[in-house]
Amino acid sequence: MHSELLDRSYHFLNFLPNVADFLVEKHKESNLKVDEKSLYNLVTEADLKAESMILEEIQKNFPLDGILAEERGAIDGSSGYTWVIDPLDGTTNYTHGLPLYGVSVGVVETETMAPVIGMVFFPELNTYYHAIKGEGAFREKKQIQVSQTKSMKDSLFVTGFPYDRNLSLDTLMQYYKSILQKSRGIRRTGAATLDLCWLAEGKFEGYYELGLKPWDMAAAGLIVMEAKGKLTSMDGNDFSIMIPSLLASNGYVHEYLLAEFEGQINRVVY
């Protein structure tokens, strides 16, 4: 299995700069076509083309693998591996000219949906993160690790809001207020993969979000785990990319954060 993972990781670490270059060039255009999939949820021609580039590369080089992609949906495979793809995480940032967006490509074991490879490129930040299960997490060639901060008052957190946030706005604001009162602050980048990668290298102590999709978590979630971070759902259940809530932390502040969500999480509409 290890050689199979190395082959996939090595191939795509060399291929994904092509996708990153395409997104940078497309970002310079003044007439970018943008459509609404739903309220607050945008898709651009850049998303669609970037995803097509990634899918074609997978099907050409690993034709027996399954695929789960944000725009194209699911494609069955027989190899035991499934690629989980977000071609442009942070589309709203992208459409507003912000550089906070990424290309996320993960590989999971098809039977369990457990991540085994994670790769996230941030084209306009000129950096990328990657991990293979059991091999540690890296920013480019440098191994990274979560922060060692142990107290809430010294911690900086990051969060995001679901597309259907109007259904649960009061609860979301309660979480925000409660954590903000006990910590150094809360940030919002608008890209879940960036939040998780920055947590993995110690910039944040914790991250939480509702309404996530598998492609938001598969690659960056593994990077956090391999950086010695901790992942659960927001109600404390085992991490799964199929559960639409995520709490990620450096481990030290995890129980404090779970206590903030206790008794409230079941009221939220995903």
Side-chain angles (χ1 to χ4, degrees):
M1 183 177 87
H2 187 256
S3 63
E4 295 177 328
L5 299 184
L6 283 175
D7 287 346
R8 287 164 173 79
S9 177
Y10 180 79
H11 185 94
F12 265 79
L13 287 175
N14 284 281
F15 170 74
L16 285 175
N18 300 318
V19 182
D21 289 345
F22 161 75
L23 290 173
V24 171
E25 289 305 310
K26 198 70 177 174
H27 207 195
K28 296 175 183 177
E29 296 182 5
S30 59
N31 60 341
L32 184 69
K33 187 176 183 296
V34 181
D35 294 314
E36 284 191 358
K37 291 192 286 187
S38 62
L39 185 63
Y40 310 126
N41 190 2
L42 307 179
V43 61
T44 72
E45 55 189 319
D47 295 71
L48 299 173
K49 175 59 177 176
E51 186 170 283
S52 292
M53 293 171 68
I54 295 168
L55 264 59
E56 288 171 9
E57 193 70 13
I58 294 169
Q59 292 173 324
K60 176 182 175 182
N61 293 279
F62 306 102
L64 299 181
D65 290 0
I67 296 172
L68 178 60
E70 179 174 15
E71 310 303 338
R72 196 72 60 88
I75 300 171
D76 291 336
S78 59
S79 69
Y81 295 114
T82 296
W83 297 75
V84 185
I85 300 159
D86 190 342
L88 206 175
D89 179 41
T91 299
T92 300
N93 287 346
Y94 190 82
T95 61
H96 285 265
L98 297 174
L100 304 180
Y101 65 89
V103 183
S104 177
V105 176
V107 178
V108 302
E109 294 177 339
T110 304
E111 184 175 349
T112 63
M113 297 302 284
V116 290
I117 298 174
M119 297 167 281
V120 188
F121 277 64
F122 299 104
E124 292 187 42
L125 300 182
N126 296 310
T127 194
Y128 64 93
Y129 298 77
H130 58 104
I132 295 175
K133 184 179 179 180
E135 300 291 327
F138 296 83
R139 175 177 177 171
E140 297 166 23
K141 295 182 180 180
K142 180 182 178 181
Q143 190 162 3
I144 57 174
Q145 188 171 319
V146 295
S147 85
Q148 302 300 298
T149 300
K150 296 179 173 62
S151 67
M152 285 284 286
K153 70 179 181 65
D154 295 323
S155 294
L156 184 64
F157 298 104
V158 65
T159 190
F161 300 130
Y163 292 123
D164 60 354
R165 53 186 174 268
N166 290 341
L167 298 174
S168 53
L169 197 57
D170 289 344
T171 303
L172 292 169
M173 291 300 99
Q174 180 59 38
Y175 296 158
Y176 196 93
K177 178 181 177 181
S178 181
I179 294 170
L180 188 62
Q181 289 174 324
K182 298 178 176 69
S183 69
R184 189 164 284 174
I186 302 177
R187 301 291 181 262
R188 183 169 190 263
T189 72
T193 55
L194 184 60
D195 297 340
L196 288 165
C197 287
W198 277 357
L199 187 152
E201 67 172 331
K203 286 179 166 58
F204 300 124
E205 277 67 49
Y207 159 82
Y208 68 93
E209 189 165 352
L210 291 163
L212 293 173
K213 301 295 184 181
W215 44 82
D216 296 315
M217 299 179 275
L222 179 67
I223 291 167
V224 171
M225 287 189 285
E226 288 298 316
K228 303 187 185 305
K230 183 172 182 177
L231 301 178
T232 65
S233 65
M234 284 175 62
D235 54 2
N237 287 316
D238 290 345
F239 168 67
S240 167
I241 67 169
M242 306 309 291
I243 296 175
S245 81
L246 179 62
L247 172 59
S249 79
N250 64 358
Y252 296 109
V253 299
H254 207 88
E255 295 303 318
Y256 296 118
L257 291 168
L258 283 176
E260 296 299 319
F261 306 135
E262 188 175 6
Q264 301 182 63
I265 189 71
N266 292 330
R267 299 208 308 268
V268 173
V269 178
Y270 290 146

